[in-house]
Amino acid sequence: MYTLTTGVELELWVVNERGRLCDGTEVIEAHPRIEPEFINPLIEVKTEPHTSERDLRRDLQSVLQTAILAAERASKRLVPLGTPLTEADPPANCERGRVFETVYGDGVRSAKNCAGTHIHFEREDAVDQLNLLTALDPALALTSSSPYYAGERRANSARALAYRTDCGDEFRCFTDLWEYADSLSEWRDRVDEKYERFKRLAADRGVSGETIEALFAPENTVLNPVRLRECQPTVEWRAPDATLPSQVVRLASDVERLVSRAATAPVEFGAPRLENDRLKLPEFEALRDVSRRAIESGLDSPTVESYLRELGFDTAAYDPLSSRLRGPPRLGESAARTRRLRQAGRLQADVQDLTDEETRYSMFPA
């Protein structure tokens, strides 16, 4: 089977032994592929690109084991949740982050309270890849990991809801799902137009165009669920929450199978379906409805489950953490700390067992 190199970036919260969000410097310093985010309690763990599921598992396990050990030595833990459950409001820790705060204003709150999974696929037929990953947006339901945002139970994926909608109407074009692309040049034109818009918004807030150009490239100004990364070059899928690494690898594997198929089979539009000789994707308005249901209800929505099964996902193979975190409409800080520590323990056990699933190379050949 045709395969693409695939890499994973997983964001994680850092907490102390009492479950409070804290600085993750010691963890970042432990490995070159553990990087800071723009607030101190959030870090990102990266793999190299791989063509086998076994290698992806082993790489992710190795880096996470290093991260967990470094955290333990500093009396800290790592938490695989899409949000910190209650609100986090630490200051930005770098110049780029501080400019981002200035431009977004109150809308920066969602960026500070969301942790995601980013999966990079080797770029081949970029237009088909961009459109397929757009159509796979409802697959975020397979790994939703937090129903709470700022202490309020909001949706099956509270992260996706907040990240896409809470930044304010003038910024939603930078965070929400984009329509399908007609061509690569048309997609790039969109990115360039959003970059110019970002510079205008920055200027309105007293940030010069020179500063924006020094700190932001067009491709990292847009924060949408699907991005074209020119510098790597990859197509990046950013729809899923941060979650347990076993679920991340399973999802990366399942989605890679579809993205690889798009390199050899035609991608068409109509009733969504995976066929032997083609991939059929829904019209965009129909997709938006399924995505909304995926964010709100996850796999509890029959529409979402049916949609994902039509595209070849075994939904029963997934165990979204959101379903384990159901509770009262409002969650206090004490309860949030307890839940963070519980999920930190689950992360540690999951990492330990990550390579025990090496016999299921359902996606990539060895």
Side-chain angles (χ1 to χ4, degrees):
M1 180 185 290
Y2 184 84
T3 61
L4 299 169
T5 58
T6 302
V8 165
E9 299 169 353
L10 174 61
E11 295 175 342
L12 298 166
W13 302 101
V14 184
V15 300
N16 63 20
E17 290 183 319
R18 300 183 66 183
R20 294 184 184 275
L21 295 173
C22 65
D23 174 80
T25 299
E26 299 91 344
V27 184
I28 293 163
E29 293 174 347
H31 197 286
R33 283 190 276 115
I34 305 173
E35 298 186 356
E37 286 296 315
F38 84 107
I39 56 172
N40 287 337
L42 193 59
I43 64 168
E44 184 175 68
V45 171
K46 296 185 175 185
T47 71
E48 298 283 4
H50 295 284
T51 56
S52 80
E53 182 180 332
R54 171 170 51 192
D55 290 344
L56 186 63
R57 285 181 179 275
R58 289 178 172 177
D59 189 359
L60 186 57
Q61 182 186 54
S62 175
V63 181
L64 283 168
Q65 285 174 332
T66 299
I68 289 170
L69 181 59
E72 287 182 339
R73 287 172 175 165
S75 299
K76 296 176 182 179
R77 311 286 296 280
L78 303 179
V79 182
L81 293 177
T83 75
L85 305 177
T86 51
E87 185 170 3
D89 190 26
N93 57 16
C94 60
E95 184 180 2
R96 185 176 184 275
R98 287 186 284 272
V99 170
F100 188 76
E101 280 185 312
T102 300
V103 175
Y104 270 73
D106 292 340
V108 80
R109 180 190 191 211
S110 58
K112 290 185 176 183
N113 284 273
C114 293
T117 296
H118 309 155
I119 306 174
H120 289 258
F121 301 100
E122 175 187 356
R123 202 169 90 195
E124 288 289 338
D125 188 332
V127 175
D128 283 347
Q129 289 175 316
L130 290 167
N131 290 340
L132 174 59
L133 291 173
T134 297
L136 293 182
D137 194 62
L140 65 85
L142 297 168
T143 56
S144 295
S145 62
S146 176
Y148 287 98
Y149 176 81
E152 178 185 358
R153 192 179 66 209
R154 294 187 59 182
N156 190 263
S157 175
R159 178 204 64 86
L161 180 62
Y163 197 77
R164 299 183 188 194
T165 66
D166 283 14
C167 56
D169 290 344
E170 60 189 343
F171 292 101
R172 283 191 65 168
C173 63
F174 299 99
T175 59
D176 209 351
L177 192 66
W178 282 0
E179 293 191 19
Y180 297 125
D182 294 326
S183 67
L184 190 55
S185 62
E186 187 259 344
W187 183 275
R188 286 171 170 154
D189 286 345
R190 290 188 209 175
V191 174
D192 290 341
E193 188 275 327
K194 298 302 182 293
Y195 187 52
E196 294 305 314
R197 177 185 175 90
F198 188 76
K199 287 196 284 189
R200 290 194 299 271
L201 289 167
D204 290 343
R205 290 152 176 79
V207 180
S208 70
E210 292 78 9
T211 297
I212 296 300
E213 290 173 2
L215 296 172
F216 296 87
E219 69 178 46
N220 59 32
T221 303
V222 293
L223 306 171
N224 309 83
V226 181
R227 294 202 300 187
L228 185 68
R229 303 306 301 267
E230 304 281 6
C231 59
Q232 292 171 306
T234 63
V235 179
E236 180 186 12
W237 191 49
R238 299 162 50 86
D241 289 357
T243 191
L244 296 173
S246 61
Q247 298 283 286
V248 168
V249 174
R250 184 184 300 272
L251 185 62
S253 178
D254 285 346
V255 173
E256 195 277 345
R257 171 175 50 85
L258 293 170
V259 176
S260 289
R261 180 174 289 201
T264 58
V267 175
E268 301 176 354
F269 294 91
R273 189 167 182 81
L274 176 64
E275 298 181 350
N276 289 334
D277 59 344
R278 70 196 65 218
L279 283 162
K280 289 189 175 181
L281 310 180
E283 297 300 329
F284 187 72
E285 287 308 311
L287 168 65
R288 284 194 69 91
D289 179 66
V290 183
S291 289
R292 176 183 58 79
R293 294 170 188 260
I295 290 170
E296 292 176 352
S297 304
L299 296 179
D300 288 342
S301 165
T303 300
V304 172
E305 183 154 16
S306 174
Y307 181 90
L308 295 176
R309 287 187 177 278
E310 288 291 348
L311 291 175
F313 290 95
D314 178 6
T315 58
Y318 289 87
D319 184 18
L321 288 177
S322 269
S323 62
R324 298 172 178 263
L325 289 169
R326 291 173 178 164
R330 298 289 306 177
L331 193 70
E333 183 61 31
S334 178
R337 292 199 303 269
T338 299
R339 290 172 186 234
R340 290 174 196 147
L341 291 173
R342 188 177 301 137
Q343 299 313 315
R346 184 166 284 157
L347 172 70
Q348 191 161 353
D350 192 79
V351 170
Q352 184 67 31
D353 295 340
L354 190 56
T355 51
D356 289 351
E357 295 188 39
E358 283 187 0
T359 54
R360 75 165 285 286
Y361 306 149
S362 62
M363 213 4 271
F364 308 119

